[in-house]
Amino acid sequence: MKQFFGENYVHHGEIIQLPLDFVRQLCLKIQPERPECRCDKDMDTLSSYAMCLPNLTRLQPFRFAEHRPILCIEIKPKCGFIPFSSHVSQEIKHKVCRYCMHQHLKVANGKWKRPSKYCPLDLFSGNKQRMHFALKSLLQEAQNNLKIFKNGELIYGCKDDQDCVSDWNELARHLKPFFFPSNGLVSPHCTRTVVKELIHVITMALLSSTDTCRAGDMKTVPISQGRSYCEASAFNKELVRNGKHKLESSGLPRGCLLYKTLQAQMLDMLDIEGLYPLYSRVEQYLEEFPEERSTLQIDGPYNEAFYEKLLDLSLEDDGTVAFALTKVQQYRIAMTAKDCSIMIALSPCLQDECSEQRPVVLTSKSRFTFSVSVLDLDLKPYESIPHQYKLDGEIVNYYLKNIQAKEDPVMSNLFKENEDCTLVLHKV
């Protein structure tokens, strides 16, 4: 994935060998600490190999400012665009993003108690007002999309699948020394100010370009394709209530990690509905020629040869297995980018201490040196595509049946454009 995100953002780790007894002891040690929803997934205690990766709750490279207090924000931004594929069968998918629709199904299934107001399209808009709203929504309802660490320890975020209690006062108590080093108690007014400063710092870090090299030779997918807002976004609805119909989308700086993440996500050019028949074509071929699985690099190795096959952004289906396989592999890359996590590590620094080689972000009372990294980049399994196809249908059908009908009809009418209308006058 470094081909898509760039060297500075991706830490590929090192393979190391471990004694099997150590692996078994580790498995037992961490089991009580794991969330209940993860306990059905076991560590492979028969494997004596592991990946050694840097602790991304620290500044990268770690040797810098290791004695200083470190704040780290982990964000799982999710999919930042509306499908633009002509294969989409339900019009609602061209209007409401996958994340906002999925929220309602998750609440109905008991995954969460409340839907979040966060919409990924607001975060990926590049518009600071929309980005601030998105980050505030994540702080209010973190779910598993936001966590905050202080010196490597989790201080804010969901520990429970069911409920997320947002204690901003407690969070402000932890953060105040970072943003307002002078003494003083945390008042409700101070809490709002501290949270506002935190959101500002996150926004500036996300819009920064800390990687000067271009990410590979991948031709970019035009971000202008499809609409730049989601009708279900709480920010969007507020605009409409205030009589405004146009959402500003400032666009993302090309070097920032959000831009690169969005470009990788948009390799999903066909949507799962257009992709699934191509997956079936590959499956049928593998049933006839199972020995070809390794030649087609279904399970890797994900090397330069694999990457070269991804450069073709053509959508003209020539009926071949090669075309189908390219789109399937591009979809797997896109799904990986849709589910990755961004880590922003921050450390306070004095003006004369900050190195010119390190990016710096300023607040009203402080300045921070920071690093931005991306993780959870294991390529999504080829075998998960049927599950994604089924889940997509469940999400859309639930939303259409149970949510859209309840939406304020005035809201939906405001979005109808270019309709022929007949005005009927009645005699009074």
Side-chain angles (χ1 to χ4, degrees):
M1 295 299 291
K2 69 180 180 182
Q3 301 278 15
F4 299 92
F5 292 108
E7 288 279 355
N8 287 2
Y9 295 123
V10 177
H11 307 274
H12 48 76
E14 177 187 356
I15 299 173
I16 58 170
Q17 192 164 10
L18 298 171
L20 284 178
D21 189 52
F22 172 84
V23 179
R24 283 192 290 270
Q25 288 182 44
L26 179 63
C27 188
L28 293 171
K29 178 91 172 170
I30 67 170
Q31 195 65 20
E33 304 294 326
R34 301 179 77 191
E36 189 176 334
C37 66
R38 301 287 297 175
C39 288
D40 61 332
K41 299 180 188 293
D42 293 325
M43 184 186 292
D44 184 2
T45 56
L46 298 178
S47 171
S48 58
Y49 291 92
M51 290 293 292
C52 184
L53 291 154
N55 179 359
L56 295 181
T57 64
R58 313 293 298 183
L59 275 173
Q60 301 305 316
F62 175 70
R63 65 181 178 276
F64 181 86
E66 55 190 11
H67 59 287
R68 301 179 187 276
I70 304 284
L71 192 64
C72 178
I73 301 93
E74 177 184 355
I75 297 172
K76 194 179 278 287
K78 306 305 283 187
C79 181
F81 72 97
I82 296 271
F84 48 85
S85 169
S86 59
H87 296 278
V88 168
S89 61
Q90 299 283 8
E91 184 61 23
I92 192 67
K93 288 173 68 174
H94 287 312
K95 298 177 179 179
V96 178
C97 78
R98 161 77 171 250
Y99 181 88
C100 288
M101 283 196 278
H102 201 180
Q103 279 289 298
H104 296 284
L105 182 61
K106 285 182 175 180
V107 171
N109 290 341
K111 172 81 172 174
W112 305 112
K113 286 191 175 180
R114 294 168 298 277
S116 169
K117 290 183 180 179
Y118 169 68
C119 176
L121 268 74
D122 291 331
L123 185 69
F124 281 95
S125 69
N127 178 292
K128 288 182 183 176
Q129 190 181 0
R130 289 176 67 184
M131 292 180 74
H132 285 191
F133 184 89
L135 291 167
K136 184 178 178 182
S137 300
L138 278 178
L139 285 164
Q140 287 172 331
E141 203 70 43
Q143 297 186 1
N144 62 349
N145 296 107
L146 181 136
K147 292 175 183 171
I148 299 177
F149 302 86
K150 179 179 166 185
N151 298 327
E153 296 292 325
L154 181 66
I155 60 168
Y156 193 82
C158 237
K159 298 176 183 176
D160 176 309
D161 261 13
Q162 283 282 320
D163 203 7
C164 266
V165 179
S166 300
D167 189 346
W168 281 18
N169 289 329
E170 178 66 15
L171 176 62
R173 186 181 67 78
H174 282 289
L175 297 184
K176 187 174 179 294
F178 286 90
F179 294 102
F180 300 98
S182 58
N183 293 329
L185 297 174
V186 177
S187 65
H189 171 71
C190 180
T191 295
R192 289 193 297 272
T193 306
V194 170
V195 170
K196 189 176 178 181
E197 293 281 79
L198 173 67
I199 289 172
H200 166 73
V201 168
I202 297 173
T203 302
M204 298 313 293
L206 287 174
L207 293 176
S208 70
S209 301
T210 59
D211 195 341
T212 54
C213 70
R214 293 180 60 193
D217 303 314
M218 176 62 70
K219 295 176 184 175
T220 57
V221 180
I223 287 180
S224 59
Q225 293 195 47
R227 66 170 68 202
S228 62
Y229 64 90
C230 165
E231 286 190 9
S233 160
F235 184 91
N236 181 50
K237 288 180 178 179
E238 194 60 37
L239 276 187
V240 174
R241 286 192 192 97
N242 294 331
K244 298 178 182 178
H245 297 243
K246 179 71 174 173
L247 267 183
E248 294 298 327
S249 182
S250 307
L252 294 163
R254 292 179 69 90
C256 77
L257 183 55
L258 280 183
Y259 179 88
K260 295 180 180 184
T261 304
L262 186 57
Q263 283 294 331
Q265 291 180 358
M266 292 182 78
L267 286 176
D268 176 13
M269 294 174 283
L270 298 172
D271 187 71
I272 186 64
E273 292 187 65
L275 189 280
Y276 191 72
L278 300 180
Y279 164 81
S280 300
R281 185 188 300 171
V282 176
E283 275 292 275
Q284 186 177 351
Y285 180 80
L286 288 175
E287 283 179 16
E288 294 180 35
F289 308 100
E291 70 280 359
E292 289 290 300
R293 189 178 178 99
S294 60
T295 307
L296 298 179
Q297 290 184 285
I298 300 291
D299 309 303
Y302 306 121
N303 52 18
E304 286 292 332
F306 176 86
Y307 177 74
E308 286 295 321
K309 296 175 184 176
L310 303 176
L311 298 177
D312 182 9
L313 300 184
S314 169
L315 295 177
E316 294 181 19
D317 186 356
D318 58 5
T320 63
V321 172
F323 173 85
L325 183 66
T326 296
K327 297 306 139 188
V328 166
Q329 305 292 44
Q330 287 173 343
Y331 176 81
R332 293 174 65 194
I333 295 286
M335 290 302 295
T336 305
K338 290 177 187 181
D339 207 35
C340 70
S341 289
I342 295 174
M343 306 288 280
I344 304 165
L346 304 152
S347 182
C349 68
L350 299 175
Q351 186 165 357
D352 58 346
E353 292 178 328
C354 289
S355 166
E356 289 183 5
Q357 284 80 36
R358 277 206 161 262
V360 173
V361 62
L362 305 176
T363 68
S364 57
K365 301 287 184 183
S366 303
R367 55 193 292 128
F368 296 89
T369 183
F370 68 94
S371 63
V372 182
S373 305
V374 61
L375 76 164
D376 291 343
L377 292 176
D378 291 346
L379 197 61
K380 291 298 178 186
Y382 168 82
E383 288 77 15
S384 69
I385 292 175
H387 167 73
Q388 289 297 331
Y389 180 69
K390 181 183 176 185
L391 179 60
D392 185 76
E394 290 173 359
I395 291 170
V396 174
N397 290 334
Y398 181 84
Y399 189 83
L400 286 172
K401 190 181 296 183
N402 298 284
I403 306 301
Q404 193 184 33
K406 299 175 186 176
E407 294 284 295
D408 183 357
V410 176
M411 290 286 296
S412 58
N413 287 336
L414 285 169
F415 282 101
K416 291 179 180 175
E417 299 173 2
N418 303 323
E419 284 193 350
D420 291 330
C421 300
T422 303
L423 182 64
V424 181
L425 302 177
H426 293 274
K427 190 173 182 178
V428 179

